[in-house]
Amino acid sequence: MMKPDIEFEQRARARQMQLTKPPGALGRLEDIACWFAARQRREIPLALVPAITVFAGDHGVTAEGVSAFPSAVTGEMVKNFARGGAAINVLARTIDARLTVVDAGVHDCVDDVPGIVHGKVRAGTANLAREAAMTRDEAQRAIALGRAQARADIAAGASLLIAGDMGIGNTTASACLICLLADADAEAVVGNGTGIDAAGRARKIDVVRRALTRVAHRQWQDGSDCLAELGGLEIGAMAGYYLEAAAAGVPALLDGFISTASALVAQKIEPAVTDWLIASHLSFENGHRIALQKLGLSPLIDLQMRLGEGSGAAVAVPILQAALRLHAEMATFAEAGVSEKHD
Amino acid sequence: MMKPDIEFEQRARARQMQLTKPPGALGRLEDIACWFAARQRREIPLALVPAITVFAGDHGVTAEGVSAFPSAVTGEMVKNFARGGAAINVLARTIDARLTVVDAGVHDCVDDVPGIVHGKVRAGTANLAREAAMTRDEAQRAIALGRAQARADIAAGASLLIAGDMGIGNTTASACLICLLADADAEAVVGNGTGIDAAGRARKIDVVRRALTRVAHRQWQDGSDCLAELGGLEIGAMAGYYLEAAAAGVPALLDGFISTASALVAQKIEPAVTDWLIASHLSFENGHRIALQKLGLSPLIDLQMRLGEGSGAAVAVPILQAALRLHAEMATFAEAGVSEKHD
């Protein structure tokens, strides 16, 4: 696991004090520049090269009626990603990011979909309300899949990694993981997902409680056993993606609820992973704030988004790029001949 | 004054329901697309062409010790803008916006600064704690200057107008206007500006109260008399800029504290101006929230910025562009062969 270098953060902070603005007037943009300085090991960090990978997987828990959409939508959306028609395709073009789609565990066969990574660990999880979502071996293979994809994105030149999710039912699995790993109650964590009504949400809370009761006496060894019991294949891959980012010393920008649940799994496996994570947006989904707090992160924006796919992260990328350009390109007081603050 | 066309907003809303995502999952990005649909009179609005104009002016009230920087900084920063070294220069490049700097009332002579609009109405205002900041005629000339600049930006092809400010002392004038026009108390509105300490803030509150007491028995006719008593030359120009944007039916994106005080002046002159205004960020400066509420607007981002220059607005522009591209480019359920939500 790489460590950020605080000396570069301090040098960046000193530079911020010399730029032609009142100290602190750029608010969190100043903090962003200094955060990247420590991680790129440069007083003036380079512009970010973002890569987005969407991991797709299905969830046996949909048998409990926890989603407003049928499971078939996961595979249908994989085809939509491949054709360029989904929200994340548009946003990837907007921020000039490389976009990869990985089948980590879609129920339906998507073998004939061109241009995606075919990494299916199994055809959807089992119903976590009744049994383990997957085996420990499958959980580890899902993590390894995400790790390999992070290596591929870094090898292709990415300096900012974004993982997105697609998986009907995955807010239920994520809610289970957040309750378990952030020690929170289902009532506070479960939201409306893709748009279930109040009765659906009550059913979903009940499902999460049954799953948590089922594993209540487990002795957890690390995050991969939590993942096996309560997670998802795309969630495991995303956790692996974050772990590899941290291992390689490349920052990862979190997305929303599913992404943050995945990051909690990664944190359980390796606590120092959070040194390399930055939060993008606050999801409208209940419980996202709780998960971010457990990671020690504050979101940059709150636009009431709840789509997943990496969309909230992609919307925040221009803020990061703006912060770095301001840091790099603004004149100093001395360069511009501008008077400094009174003593 | 142009009126938005709600029929196009409704057509855009119907389109959003057909895009391949759960209804509402893009949160405020959906609202943004529909808002611009009504104003561009197109179901699918075009990408925005932003223009930024920074209006500069000085403030006689600096004699009261209300700012952490000397008045000379206003003219020095005008030169920094002209050379491309200020934050707004960097951000304008980032969002590919045309940037214009207007001398609306800088105290020092900047006649030899190339590439700026020389529109000086007077060399800084009088001390508003003791007397009217400017005459009614000067206030109207400042407004006319901003109107002319909005026409120039629109003629150059802009479809989104951003006004920024530069003026040492202008948070004091803005606080006076916000207290007057939003019926708020100085304690709630006055902030630390460019970085004064607690004693400086107490002095600033006292100055604002003295100014408000001085005009307490005035019978106000319209916003231009409020501007003359308590405003600034750049504030008047910004108010005129917003009025002309609304008259021409071109949306204007507000910046922070000064921008919003200017919008309150415009609202006092012509209440319907707010139909054409959209809020960008929440300034760290106290009282910004109060001013936005009076305008009926909600900010998109909160990054604890407090720089002015149009910087908060510029940082928010990519969010608007992303919203419009999603609206234009995402596939519909029918196009993508994706199943819709359960009934």
Side-chain angles (χ1 to χ4, degrees), chain A residues 27-93:
Chain A
R28 295 188 66 188
L29 300 183
E30 300 186 11
D31 301 332
I32 290 168
C34 297
W35 191 89
F36 279 98
R39 284 152 187 85
Q40 289 191 12
R41 296 165 190 266
R42 291 172 177 270
E43 179 183 327
I44 301 180
L46 304 177
L48 301 169
V49 180
I52 304 171
T53 297
V54 178
F55 295 94
D58 270 303
H59 295 263
V61 73
T62 52
E64 305 285 340
V66 290
S67 180
F69 283 84
S71 279
V73 165
T74 306
E76 290 165 357
M77 282 299 294
V78 166
K79 292 170 194 161
N80 195 21
F81 296 139
R83 282 194 218 103
I88 197 58
N89 298 101
V90 178
L91 293 171
R93 293 193 289 269

Side-chain angles (χ1 to χ4, degrees), chain A residues 30-328:
Chain A
E30 300 186 11
D31 301 332
I32 290 168
C34 297
W35 191 89
F36 279 98
R39 284 152 187 85
Q40 289 191 12
R41 296 165 190 266
R42 291 172 177 270
E43 179 183 327
I44 301 180
L46 304 177
L48 301 169
V49 180
I52 304 171
T53 297
V54 178
F55 295 94
D58 270 303
H59 295 263
V61 73
T62 52
E64 305 285 340
V66 290
S67 180
F69 283 84
S71 279
V73 165
T74 306
E76 290 165 357
M77 282 299 294
V78 166
K79 292 170 194 161
N80 195 21
F81 296 139
R83 282 194 218 103
I88 197 58
N89 298 101
V90 178
L91 293 171
R93 293 193 289 269
T94 304
I95 63 169
D96 203 17
R98 166 190 159 95
L99 173 64
T100 308
V101 178
V102 176
D103 173 10
V106 178
H107 181 273
D108 293 340
C109 178
V110 291
D111 291 352
D112 59 342
V113 177
I116 73 168
V117 175
H118 296 285
K120 198 190 299 279
V121 173
R122 60 179 273 180
T125 54
N127 181 352
L128 59 79
R130 298 171 180 273
E131 61 187 314
M134 66 190 90
T135 68
R136 185 78 176 273
D137 177 64
E138 287 163 344
Q140 285 167 345
R141 281 159 54 205
I143 291 169
L145 176 67
R147 281 190 172 271
Q149 182 59 34
R151 283 194 295 277
D153 283 342
I154 294 166
S159 62
L160 182 73
L161 298 189
I162 295 171
D165 70 284
M166 179 68 227
I168 298 299
N170 68 8
T171 58
T172 301
S174 296
C176 290
L177 289 168
I178 292 169
C179 287
L180 180 72
L181 296 169
D183 195 22
D185 185 71
E187 175 64 37
V189 170
V190 171
N192 295 85
T194 51
I196 49 172
D197 57 16
R201 180 168 171 269
R203 200 159 52 234
K204 195 165 155 186
I205 289 171
D206 178 61
V207 166
V208 169
R209 292 212 165 118
R210 280 158 52 204
L212 292 168
T213 301
R214 184 176 62 71
V215 301
H217 299 292
R218 274 289 302 264
Q219 296 293 317
W220 302 108
Q221 296 179 349
D222 72 5
S224 70
D225 48 2
C226 309
L227 176 68
E229 286 292 350
L230 302 172
L233 298 150
E234 80 284 34
I235 292 170
M238 290 167 81
Y241 194 78
Y242 298 137
L243 288 166
E244 190 67 25
V250 176
L253 180 64
L254 296 185
D255 187 37
F257 193 69
I258 315 301
S259 160
T260 311
S262 307
L264 287 174
V265 171
Q267 182 189 37
K268 180 79 174 169
I269 294 172
E270 174 53 64
V273 70
T274 54
D275 282 345
W276 298 90
L277 303 179
I278 181 166
S280 61
H281 80 124
L282 181 67
S283 169
F284 193 66
E285 189 71 3
N286 298 11
H288 190 217
R289 194 185 297 269
I290 292 169
L292 284 170
Q293 281 169 350
K294 175 70 179 177
L295 294 166
L297 302 176
S298 296
L300 288 169
I301 53 177
D302 175 5
L303 296 170
Q304 296 165 39
M305 294 171 71
R306 51 178 172 83
L307 179 60
E309 302 180 6
S311 59
V315 169
V317 167
I319 294 173
L320 305 183
Q321 301 282 33
L324 297 190
R325 281 194 71 167
L326 286 161
H327 185 74

